[in-house]
Amino acid sequence: CCLKQIVYNKSEGTVTFIDYEYGDFNYQAFDIGGHFAEHAGVDAIDYSRYPDRTFQEKWLRVYLRSWYSEMGKNPDSITDQHVADLYEKVNKFAVQAIAAFIPSHPCDPAPSKL
């Protein structure tokens, strides 16, 4: 699958993997929503694999702790409300991701029926 995302340079003997959808800056919640949407699959989409709220909140809390640390903020200052706010934003963007880039993914064998 996805051979368009693998670049082989025979003369240099190198293989490069590329993924353009994450190749630039984007809204934080959009990228995370896309990450969760891809849990449902790309080639064989099964929305039952989309992460539930408990999984997402745990994941988001770990993400926020890391992000706060990188930004020089105190990770211990993250509240349940911070996680809930990001969860809400992420899931609004996840709907967009499902409708926008998963059905048109180069590996999708058939057009979306959304």
Side-chain angles (χ1 to χ4, degrees), residues 36 50-60 87 91:
F36 288 150
Y50 186 81
D52 64 20
R53 184 176 187 132
T54 301
F55 176 92
Q56 287 186 45
E57 287 179 344
K58 287 178 183 177
W59 191 98
L60 291 170
Y87 171 84
N91 280 277

Side-chain angles (χ1 to χ4, degrees), residues 36-113:
F36 288 150
E38 288 180 354
H39 279 237
V42 177
D43 293 327
I45 297 173
D46 176 359
Y47 294 111
S48 70
R49 296 185 305 209
Y50 186 81
D52 64 20
R53 184 176 187 132
T54 301
F55 176 92
Q56 287 186 45
E57 287 179 344
K58 287 178 183 177
W59 191 98
L60 291 170
R61 186 171 300 277
V62 170
Y63 170 84
L64 283 172
R65 289 187 64 78
S66 176
W67 186 59
Y68 269 47
S69 292
E70 289 293 320
M71 300 304 290
K73 298 180 180 181
N74 179 2
D76 294 329
S77 67
I78 297 166
T79 65
D80 290 342
Q81 190 61 50
H82 289 120
V83 175
D85 289 346
L86 185 55
Y87 171 84
E88 183 179 335
K89 291 174 188 173
V90 161
N91 280 277
K92 285 179 181 177
F93 276 115
V95 171
Q96 223 178 357
I98 289 167
F101 67 76
I102 289 180
S104 63
H105 194 282
C107 294
D108 194 2
S112 171
K113 294 182 181 179

